Amino acid sequence: MRWRLALLVAAAMTLVLLAFLVPLALLLRGVAADRAVSAATTQAQSIGVLVATADPQSLRLAVEQVNVDARRPVTVYLPDGSTVGPAVGQTPAVRLAARTTSFSVEHADGREVLVVVQGLPQGTAVIRVFVPRDELRKGVARAWLVLALLGVGLLAVGVAVADRLAVMVVRPIRTLATVSDALAGGDLDRRAPAAAGPPEVRAVAAALNQLAARIRDLLRHERERVADLSHRMRTPMTALRLDAEGLRDQDEAARILAHVAALDDAVTAVIEDARREHDLPSCDATAVVAERIRFWTVLAEDQQRPVEADLPDGPLPVAVSAADLAACVDALLGNVFAHTEEGVAVAVTLDPRRVLTVQDAGTGFDPAAGARGVSGAGSTGLGLDIARRTAEAAGGTLTVDRSPLGGARVTVTLSALTEP
């Protein structure tokens, strides 16, 4: 935008300078020609006085003195047919002037100035002064060079001023763009300077700041609302814990209490995640996936499901929080346990390239499933959406296709943790 504004000003100034300098250059050329013709006419008139008053010898000496400067040669055509000065034959203009009056005529190589002296005893004498084209344009080239330099200088000054003005406009706009990118990246505390740039840019900056503040307030309100809703779940969990403690079968009570504790941890993680604003989520994918596999293996043993796990030997950092990754794994494994028959095998693979794959040997489901609220098995359709949003939040993707085992295969691609 900055260079476009400078180019626009340069084009406008070029048109203005051409409209001003071209007529001025033509005027200067005309003035130079008129000056040369005027000087030649004055010179011819001075010789005309001598033609009318001086003797032939004095006239010849005067003409020779004038012709010492050969820039404008002078020739006098006397009434008796003789000439004084350079021997130049009578031109049509000389013959015409002898019958009429004084005038000048333009030629390809200069201008012919003719002055008539009448009232002589022998008749009419004609004085011819020839002004070469170089004399007619004397000083014109220098004047045109000065005008050209002046035009270039004015154009350069105009473009420089336009560039400075463009900077005053473009710089605040670039600042607005930077702030917008920061807001899009989640930094809702960034604000644009409201006192920079022209009034229109300042108005946009003020509107952007108001929008950022409004978005931040709405997000905080939603976080608190989610935290409040999650906290309300603690009351039924407390009742469930009390009921479990009242069971006579201690093993059954311990199992239910463990599930209640896990649910309590999940609710706590939701509350903490809802109130978390500025952090760089990360976790060891190997440890999180292994822990969730151990959790689901207990239920798999009850249902006689073979569980195959293939995990990296060492840590595998990914750009997602442990709670989100655990929720993703739980959603994928929960789909397998909920929508396949008991005894159906399940396999979990975590590739060192940060690719998580969950597949089963069931009947599979529609690959179009996974959109929020869309399910191929009569459920709410939120499980795959949770996994998809976890992958996208980490800069990855989620795909659904057919597994070599015969059932469904869900592949979640995560991204590596990068330093800020």
Side-chain angles (χ1 to χ4, degrees):
M1 181 178 180
R2 173 182 175 182
W3 294 112
R4 290 182 179 179
L5 291 176
L7 182 61
L8 177 62
V9 172
M13 286 196 63
T14 300
L15 294 177
V16 172
L17 289 174
L18 288 177
F20 172 73
L21 295 179
V22 171
L24 182 59
L26 297 177
L27 178 62
L28 289 175
R29 187 177 66 177
V31 169
D34 292 341
R35 183 176 65 246
V37 171
S38 178
T41 302
T42 301
Q43 189 176 41
Q45 289 175 349
S46 64
I47 298 298
V49 174
L50 295 175
V51 171
T53 59
D55 56 276
Q57 183 64 28
S58 298
L59 176 61
R60 183 173 289 103
L61 291 175
V63 172
E64 290 177 356
Q65 184 67 31
V66 171
N67 285 331
V68 172
D69 185 3
R71 291 181 302 172
R72 293 190 297 266
V74 178
T75 302
V76 180
Y77 299 90
L78 298 175
D80 58 2
S82 62
T83 61
V84 179
V88 179
Q90 289 190 3
T91 62
V94 173
R95 291 192 294 269
L96 179 61
R99 296 193 301 269
T100 56
T101 185
S102 303
F103 64 90
S104 65
V105 61
E106 186 78 23
H107 293 282
D109 55 348
R111 178 170 292 191
E112 192 177 5
V113 179
L114 303 168
V115 175
V116 176
V117 180
Q118 298 176 342
L120 298 178
Q122 297 86 359
T124 301
V126 178
I127 304 172
R128 176 182 180 273
V129 181
F130 184 77
V131 183
R133 183 165 297 276
D134 293 341
E135 189 70 15
L136 291 173
R137 296 185 177 181
K138 183 179 180 180
V140 174
R142 181 185 300 174
W144 284 5
L145 178 60
V146 172
L147 289 178
L149 293 177
L150 178 61
V152 172
L154 291 175
L155 182 62
V157 172
V159 171
V161 173
D163 181 68
R164 292 298 91 194
L165 294 176
V167 168
M168 295 175 59
V169 176
V170 173
R171 184 177 297 166
I173 294 178
R174 288 179 177 174
T175 302
L176 290 179
T178 302
V179 173
S180 299
D181 292 339
L183 294 176
D187 187 3
L188 298 180
D189 292 329
R190 288 289 296 274
R191 294 294 182 269
E200 293 79 5
V201 177
R202 293 200 298 268
V204 174
L208 181 62
N209 292 339
Q210 292 177 0
L211 178 62
R214 179 60 177 165
I215 293 175
R216 183 185 60 186
D217 293 341
L218 290 175
L219 287 178
R220 288 179 176 175
H221 176 72
E222 289 301 319
R223 289 191 183 100
E224 292 300 326
R225 184 178 179 183
V226 171
D228 292 342
L229 292 176
S230 301
H231 185 71
R232 295 178 186 178
M233 296 180 62
R234 295 188 182 278
T235 299
M237 283 192 302
T238 301
L240 184 60
R241 181 182 295 107
L242 294 176
D243 291 341
E245 292 175 351
L247 293 176
R248 294 180 179 180
D249 189 341
Q250 296 299 319
D251 294 337
E252 187 70 14
R255 186 178 65 85
I256 296 179
L257 287 175
H259 291 327
V260 172
L263 180 60
D264 184 71
D265 292 339
V267 171
T268 301
V270 170
I271 295 175
E272 293 176 351
D273 181 72
R275 290 180 172 176
R276 185 176 61 242
E277 296 186 11
H278 304 288
D279 63 345
L280 294 175
S282 64
C283 70
D284 179 8
T286 302
V288 173
V289 174
E291 191 276 331
R292 299 321 297 164
I293 291 177
R294 285 193 298 269
F295 174 82
W296 286 97
T297 299
V298 177
L299 181 58
E301 291 175 352
D302 292 340
Q303 297 183 357
Q304 297 181 351
R305 291 178 181 270
V307 177
E308 181 181 351
D310 184 7
L311 306 179
D313 295 332
L316 188 64
V318 293
V320 63
S321 67
D324 290 340
L325 182 57
C328 173
V329 176
D330 288 343
L332 297 180
L333 291 177
N335 277 339
V336 175
F337 280 79
H339 303 302
T340 60
E341 297 180 356
E342 295 185 4
V344 172
V346 58
V348 181
T349 302
L350 180 62
D351 192 276
R353 294 173 298 178
R354 295 171 177 82
V355 177
L356 173 65
T357 304
V358 177
Q359 50 189 331
D360 61 74
T363 59
F365 54 85
D366 186 1
R372 189 173 182 84
V374 177
S375 172
S379 64
T380 61
L382 298 181
L384 285 180
D385 182 64
I386 292 174
R388 184 185 303 278
R389 287 189 290 109
T390 300
E392 293 177 350
T397 58
L398 180 144
T399 57
V400 178
D401 57 3
R402 177 67 67 176
S403 168
L405 299 179
R409 178 174 61 183
V410 180
T411 303
V412 178
T413 302
L414 304 173
S415 62
L417 178 64
T418 57
E419 293 298 330

PDB file of all heavy atoms in Angstrom, residues 79-80 120-124:
ATOM      1  N   PRO A  79      19.226  49.644 -55.239  1.00  0.00           N
ATOM      2  CA  PRO A  79      18.267  49.760 -56.348  1.00  0.00           C
ATOM      3  C   PRO A  79      18.900  49.509 -57.720  1.00  0.00           C
ATOM      4  O   PRO A  79      18.214  49.072 -58.651  1.00  0.00           O
ATOM      5  CB  PRO A  79      17.762  51.192 -56.223  1.00  0.00           C
ATOM      6  CG  PRO A  79      17.986  51.558 -54.800  1.00  0.00           C
ATOM      7  CD  PRO A  79      19.246  50.854 -54.405  1.00  0.00           C
ATOM      8  N   ASP A  80      20.218  49.797 -57.895  1.00  0.00           N
ATOM      9  CA  ASP A  80      20.835  49.616 -59.207  1.00  0.00           C
ATOM     10  C   ASP A  80      21.209  48.169 -59.486  1.00  0.00           C
ATOM     11  O   ASP A  80      21.862  47.862 -60.485  1.00  0.00           O
ATOM     12  CB  ASP A  80      22.081  50.501 -59.314  1.00  0.00           C
ATOM     13  CG  ASP A  80      23.096  50.202 -58.219  1.00  0.00           C
ATOM     14  OD1 ASP A  80      22.844  49.268 -57.390  1.00  0.00           O
ATOM     15  OD2 ASP A  80      24.140  50.876 -58.146  1.00  0.00           O
ATOM     16  N   LEU A 120      14.622  56.267 -51.911  1.00  0.00           N
ATOM     17  CA  LEU A 120      15.919  56.562 -52.498  1.00  0.00           C
ATOM     18  C   LEU A 120      15.732  57.068 -53.939  1.00  0.00           C
ATOM     19  O   LEU A 120      14.747  56.697 -54.622  1.00  0.00           O
ATOM     20  CB  LEU A 120      16.795  55.308 -52.502  1.00  0.00           C
ATOM     21  CG  LEU A 120      17.137  54.713 -51.135  1.00  0.00           C
ATOM     22  CD1 LEU A 120      17.962  53.452 -51.310  1.00  0.00           C
ATOM     23  CD2 LEU A 120      17.879  55.734 -50.286  1.00  0.00           C
ATOM     24  N   PRO A 121      16.681  57.898 -54.447  1.00  0.00           N
ATOM     25  CA  PRO A 121      16.518  58.432 -55.817  1.00  0.00           C
ATOM     26  C   PRO A 121      16.455  57.329 -56.864  1.00  0.00           C
ATOM     27  O   PRO A 121      15.707  57.419 -57.850  1.00  0.00           O
ATOM     28  CB  PRO A 121      17.763  59.318 -56.001  1.00  0.00           C
ATOM     29  CG  PRO A 121      18.163  59.693 -54.622  1.00  0.00           C
ATOM     30  CD  PRO A 121      17.822  58.522 -53.761  1.00  0.00           C
ATOM     31  N   GLN A 122      17.235  56.283 -56.667  1.00  0.00           N
ATOM     32  CA  GLN A 122      17.262  55.216 -57.663  1.00  0.00           C
ATOM     33  C   GLN A 122      16.117  54.202 -57.494  1.00  0.00           C
ATOM     34  O   GLN A 122      15.901  53.358 -58.353  1.00  0.00           O
ATOM     35  CB  GLN A 122      18.594  54.464 -57.598  1.00  0.00           C
ATOM     36  CG  GLN A 122      19.812  55.299 -57.926  1.00  0.00           C
ATOM     37  CD  GLN A 122      20.340  56.048 -56.691  1.00  0.00           C
ATOM     38  OE1 GLN A 122      19.748  55.917 -55.609  1.00  0.00           O
ATOM     39  NE2 GLN A 122      21.413  56.834 -56.863  1.00  0.00           N
ATOM     40  N   GLY A 123      15.444  54.212 -56.359  1.00  0.00           N
ATOM     41  CA  GLY A 123      14.369  53.248 -56.121  1.00  0.00           C
ATOM     42  C   GLY A 123      14.379  52.722 -54.692  1.00  0.00           C
ATOM     43  O   GLY A 123      14.709  53.462 -53.748  1.00  0.00           O
ATOM     44  N   THR A 124      14.121  51.429 -54.553  1.00  0.00           N
ATOM     45  CA  THR A 124      13.972  50.793 -53.221  1.00  0.00           C
ATOM     46  C   THR A 124      15.141  49.846 -52.975  1.00  0.00           C
ATOM     47  O   THR A 124      15.494  49.033 -53.843  1.00  0.00           O
ATOM     48  CB  THR A 124      12.660  50.017 -53.132  1.00  0.00           C
ATOM     49  OG1 THR A 124      11.558  50.911 -53.364  1.00  0.00           O
ATOM     50  CG2 THR A 124      12.510  49.365 -51.766  1.00  0.00           C
TER      51      THR A 124
END
